[in-house]
Protein backbone atom coordinates (compact mmCIF):
# COMPACT_ATOMS: atom_id res chain seq x y z
CA UNK A 1 0.00 0.00 0.00
CA UNK A 2 1.28 3.47 -0.86
CA UNK A 3 1.48 5.81 2.13
CA UNK A 4 0.92 9.21 0.53
CA UNK A 5 0.59 10.77 3.95
CA UNK A 6 1.49 9.50 7.39
CA UNK A 7 1.34 10.48 11.02
CA UNK A 8 4.15 10.71 13.54
CA UNK A 9 2.25 11.41 16.74
CA UNK A 10 -0.26 14.09 15.72
CA UNK A 11 1.96 15.53 13.02
CA UNK A 12 0.83 14.87 9.46
CA UNK A 13 3.52 14.37 6.80
CA UNK A 14 3.04 14.19 3.04
CA UNK A 15 5.03 11.76 0.90
CA UNK A 16 4.88 12.93 -2.73
CA UNK A 17 7.88 11.26 -4.31
CA UNK A 18 10.87 9.01 -3.70
CA UNK A 19 13.00 10.89 -6.23
CA UNK A 20 15.90 12.95 -4.93
CA UNK A 21 18.93 14.73 -6.39
CA UNK A 22 21.02 13.64 -3.41
CA UNK A 23 22.05 10.37 -1.91
CA UNK A 24 22.83 11.39 1.65
CA UNK A 25 24.80 9.03 3.87
CA UNK A 26 22.26 9.51 6.68
CA UNK A 27 19.09 9.32 4.58
CA UNK A 28 16.25 7.38 6.18
CA UNK A 29 15.68 5.85 2.74
CA UNK A 30 18.69 3.69 3.58
CA UNK A 31 16.55 2.02 6.23
CA UNK A 32 13.77 -0.47 5.49
CA UNK A 33 11.05 1.40 7.29
CA UNK A 34 10.50 4.66 9.13
CA UNK A 35 8.42 4.48 12.33
CA UNK A 36 7.29 1.06 11.05
CA UNK A 37 5.96 2.70 7.88
CA UNK A 38 6.88 1.71 4.37
CA UNK A 39 7.34 5.01 2.54
CA UNK A 40 8.45 3.60 -0.80
CA UNK A 41 5.91 4.47 -3.48
CA UNK A 42 4.96 2.25 -6.41
CA UNK A 43 3.52 5.36 -8.06
CA UNK A 44 3.58 9.09 -7.33
CA UNK A 45 0.20 10.39 -6.19
CA UNK A 46 -2.08 13.05 -7.66
CA UNK A 47 -3.16 15.81 -5.28
CA UNK A 48 -6.60 14.21 -4.87
CA UNK A 49 -4.97 10.90 -3.88
CA UNK A 50 -2.90 12.73 -1.27
CA UNK A 51 -5.90 14.62 0.08
CA UNK A 52 -7.91 11.39 0.07
CA UNK A 53 -5.26 9.77 2.25
CA UNK A 54 -5.54 12.40 5.02
CA UNK A 55 -7.03 11.50 8.38
CA UNK A 56 -9.68 13.82 9.82
CA UNK A 57 -7.70 17.11 9.76
CA UNK A 58 -9.22 18.39 13.00
CA UNK A 59 -7.31 15.61 14.79
CA UNK A 60 -3.82 16.60 13.55
CA UNK A 61 -1.38 19.38 14.43
CA UNK A 62 -1.86 22.77 12.84
CA UNK A 63 1.30 22.44 10.73
CA UNK A 64 1.36 19.83 7.94
CA UNK A 65 4.73 18.94 6.40
CA UNK A 66 5.78 18.10 2.84
CA UNK A 67 8.58 15.70 3.50
CA UNK A 68 9.43 12.40 1.82
CA UNK A 69 11.30 9.62 1.33
CA UNK A 70 12.38 12.00 -1.40
CA UNK A 71 12.62 15.64 -2.45
CA UNK A 72 9.10 17.15 -2.49
CA UNK A 73 9.93 19.96 -4.96
CA UNK A 74 9.99 17.40 -7.79
CA UNK A 75 6.21 17.74 -7.40
CA UNK A 76 5.85 21.50 -7.00
CA UNK A 77 2.45 21.71 -8.71
CA UNK A 78 1.06 19.17 -6.23
CA UNK A 79 2.62 21.10 -3.35
CA UNK A 80 0.80 24.26 -4.44
CA UNK A 81 -2.60 22.61 -4.90
CA UNK A 82 -2.43 20.59 -1.67
CA UNK A 83 -1.27 23.67 0.26
CA UNK A 84 -4.27 25.60 -1.05
CA UNK A 85 -6.52 22.85 0.29
CA UNK A 86 -4.73 22.74 3.65
CA UNK A 87 -4.94 26.51 4.08
CA UNK A 88 -8.66 26.39 3.28
CA UNK A 89 -8.93 23.84 6.12
CA UNK A 90 -7.15 26.21 8.53
CA UNK A 91 -3.78 24.43 8.45
CA UNK A 92 -0.25 25.78 8.02
CA UNK A 93 2.29 24.20 5.70
CA UNK A 94 5.97 23.42 5.94
CA UNK A 95 8.23 22.25 3.15
CA UNK A 96 11.28 20.15 4.03
CA UNK A 97 13.69 20.42 1.12
CA UNK A 98 17.27 19.85 0.05
CA UNK A 99 17.24 23.40 -1.33
CA UNK A 100 18.28 22.48 -4.88
CA UNK A 101 14.94 23.15 -6.61
CA UNK A 102 15.95 26.37 -8.32
CA UNK A 103 19.02 24.91 -9.95
CA UNK A 104 17.14 21.69 -10.81
CA UNK A 105 13.94 23.20 -12.20
CA UNK A 106 14.40 27.00 -12.46
CA UNK A 107 11.44 29.37 -12.76
CA UNK A 108 11.87 31.10 -9.40
CA UNK A 109 10.64 28.32 -7.13
CA UNK A 110 10.70 30.46 -3.93
CA UNK A 111 8.41 33.03 -5.57
CA UNK A 112 6.07 30.27 -6.79
CA UNK A 113 5.73 29.02 -3.22
CA UNK A 114 4.73 32.44 -1.87
CA UNK A 115 1.33 32.29 -0.18
CA UNK A 116 1.32 28.47 -0.18
CA UNK A 117 4.21 27.50 2.08
CA UNK A 118 4.42 29.07 5.56
CA UNK A 119 7.78 27.59 6.57
CA UNK A 120 10.58 26.21 4.45
CA UNK A 121 13.14 24.03 6.18
CA UNK A 122 16.27 23.69 4.05
CA UNK A 123 18.84 20.98 4.72
CA UNK A 124 22.23 22.69 4.59
CA UNK A 125 23.98 19.63 6.02
CA UNK A 126 27.55 20.97 5.69
CA UNK A 127 29.56 24.19 5.71
CA UNK A 128 31.47 23.88 2.45
CA UNK A 129 30.92 22.19 -0.88
CA UNK A 130 33.56 19.48 -0.50
CA UNK A 131 32.04 18.31 2.79
CA UNK A 132 28.54 18.59 1.35
CA UNK A 133 29.47 16.44 -1.62
CA UNK A 134 31.09 13.80 0.57
CA UNK A 135 28.02 13.59 2.83
CA UNK A 136 25.19 14.10 0.34
CA UNK A 137 26.54 12.97 -3.06
CA UNK A 138 24.48 15.49 -5.09
CA UNK A 139 23.92 14.72 -8.77
CA UNK A 140 24.57 18.44 -9.31
CA UNK A 141 28.12 17.99 -8.02
CA UNK A 142 30.08 21.17 -7.34
CA UNK A 143 27.11 23.45 -7.99
CA UNK A 144 24.84 22.09 -5.28
CA UNK A 145 26.13 23.72 -2.09
CA UNK A 146 26.18 27.34 -3.29
CA UNK A 147 22.79 26.79 -4.94
CA UNK A 148 21.35 25.86 -1.53
CA UNK A 149 22.62 29.09 0.07
CA UNK A 150 21.19 31.11 -2.84
CA UNK A 151 17.89 29.26 -2.46
CA UNK A 152 17.72 30.15 1.24
CA UNK A 153 18.38 33.84 0.43
CA UNK A 154 15.61 33.84 -2.17
CA UNK A 155 13.15 32.03 0.11
CA UNK A 156 13.66 34.74 2.72
CA UNK A 157 12.06 37.24 0.30
CA UNK A 158 8.88 35.24 -0.24
CA UNK A 159 8.27 32.80 2.61
CA UNK A 160 7.39 33.88 6.18
CA UNK A 161 9.76 31.50 7.95
CA UNK A 162 12.99 30.02 6.58
CA UNK A 163 15.12 27.56 8.56
CA UNK A 164 18.52 26.14 7.66
CA UNK A 165 19.17 22.76 9.25
CA UNK A 166 22.02 20.35 9.78
CA UNK A 167 21.95 16.80 11.10
CA UNK A 168 24.01 16.10 14.21
CA UNK A 169 26.15 13.61 12.30
CA UNK A 170 28.53 16.53 11.52
CA UNK A 171 31.08 17.89 14.01
CA UNK A 172 30.09 20.38 16.71
CA UNK A 173 32.49 22.85 15.11
CA UNK A 174 30.69 22.55 11.77
CA UNK A 175 27.31 22.83 13.48
CA UNK A 176 28.48 26.20 14.86
CA UNK A 177 29.77 27.30 11.46
CA UNK A 178 26.44 26.34 9.89
CA UNK A 179 24.65 28.46 12.48
CA UNK A 180 26.87 31.40 11.45
CA UNK A 181 25.89 30.89 7.80
CA UNK A 182 22.22 31.00 8.78
CA UNK A 183 22.80 34.17 10.81
CA UNK A 184 24.55 35.85 7.87
CA UNK A 185 21.62 35.11 5.59
CA UNK A 186 19.19 36.19 8.32
CA UNK A 187 17.27 32.92 8.62
CA UNK A 188 16.60 30.55 11.51
CA UNK A 189 18.79 27.57 12.31
CA UNK A 190 18.04 24.12 13.69
CA UNK A 191 20.07 21.03 14.47
CA UNK A 192 18.17 17.84 13.60
CA UNK A 193 18.89 14.71 15.51
CA UNK A 194 19.80 11.74 13.32
CA UNK A 195 16.77 9.77 14.45
CA UNK A 196 14.35 12.57 13.40
S1 LIG B 1 18.11 15.16 0.51
FE1 LIG B 1 16.73 14.14 1.97
S2 LIG B 1 15.61 12.60 0.76
FE2 LIG B 1 17.37 13.27 -0.47
S3 LIG B 1 18.95 11.74 -0.01
FE3 LIG B 1 19.27 13.46 1.39
S4 LIG B 1 18.11 12.95 3.26
FE4 LIG B 1 17.40 11.58 1.60
Amino acid sequence: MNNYSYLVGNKLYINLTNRCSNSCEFCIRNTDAFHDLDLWLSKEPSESEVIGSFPELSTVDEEVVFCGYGEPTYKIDNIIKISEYLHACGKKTRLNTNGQAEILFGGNVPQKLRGYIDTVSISLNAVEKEKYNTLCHPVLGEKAFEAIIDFARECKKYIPKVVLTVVDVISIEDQKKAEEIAKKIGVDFRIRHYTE
Side-chain angles (χ1 to χ4, degrees), residues 20-24 26-29 69-71 98 125 192:
C20 187
S21 50
N22 275 357
S23 183
C24 301
F26 54 82
C27 183
I28 56 167
R29 298 187 306 170
Y69 257 23
E71 169 51 41
N98 66 17
N125 287 338
R192 285 145 48 218

Side-chain angles (χ1 to χ4, degrees), residues 64-112:
V64 178
V65 185
F66 293 93
C67 190
Y69 257 23
E71 169 51 41
T73 57
Y74 276 83
K75 305 274 288 179
I76 189 160
D77 292 343
N78 296 61
I79 290 175
I80 287 170
K81 287 176 186 146
I82 296 164
S83 294
E84 248 178 341
Y85 174 84
L86 287 167
H87 280 169
C89 296
K91 297 296 176 188
K92 294 209 176 286
T93 56
R94 184 174 95 208
L95 168 66
N96 288 356
T97 176
N98 66 17
Q100 296 169 15
E102 191 56 37
I103 192 168
L104 284 169
F105 315 118
N108 204 342
V109 172
Q111 194 169 8
K112 273 189 193 155

Side-chain angles (χ1 to χ4, degrees), residues 6-13 55 57 59-64 91:
Y6 57 97
L7 284 167
V8 178
N10 288 330
K11 192 86 161 175
L12 182 60
Y13 292 85
L57 286 178
T59 64
V60 306
D61 287 356
E62 185 186 32
E63 183 186 64
V64 178
K91 297 296 176 188

Side-chain angles (χ1 to χ4, degrees), residues 1 42-43 89 97 107 122 138 142 160 172-173 177 179 184 186:
M1 177 192 142
S42 61
K43 112 179 195 357
C89 296
T97 176
I122 303 166
E142 296 281 292
I172 301 278
E173 194 192 348
K177 282 186 193 166
E179 188 169 9
K184 251 190 213 162

Side-chain angles (χ1 to χ4, degrees), residues 73-182:
T73 57
Y74 276 83
K75 305 274 288 179
I76 189 160
D77 292 343
N78 296 61
I79 290 175
I80 287 170
K81 287 176 186 146
I82 296 164
S83 294
E84 248 178 341
Y85 174 84
L86 287 167
H87 280 169
C89 296
K91 297 296 176 188
K92 294 209 176 286
T93 56
R94 184 174 95 208
L95 168 66
N96 288 356
T97 176
N98 66 17
Q100 296 169 15
E102 191 56 37
I103 192 168
L104 284 169
F105 315 118
N108 204 342
V109 172
Q111 194 169 8
K112 273 189 193 155
L113 295 173
R114 174 163 55 181
Y116 299 106
I117 292 296
D118 300 297
T119 298
V120 61
S121 176
I122 303 166
S123 305
L124 182 64
N125 287 338
V127 293
E128 57 195 44
K129 66 182 174 194
E130 290 77 13
K131 287 183 177 175
Y132 185 84
N133 289 4
T134 302
L135 189 63
C136 299
H137 309 286
V139 295
L140 297 166
E142 296 281 292
K143 292 183 277 186
F145 185 72
E146 284 304 323
I148 295 165
I149 307 257
D150 290 345
F151 186 75
R153 278 202 195 95
E154 280 301 296
C155 282
K156 194 173 177 302
K157 295 181 194 168
Y158 303 110
I159 295 172
K161 185 170 176 177
V162 181
V163 188
L164 277 183
T165 73
V166 295
V167 180
D168 59 2
V169 296
I170 66 170
S171 69
I172 301 278
E173 194 192 348
D174 278 359
Q175 291 174 26
K176 284 184 185 146
K177 282 186 193 166
E179 188 169 9
E180 283 306 312
I181 292 173

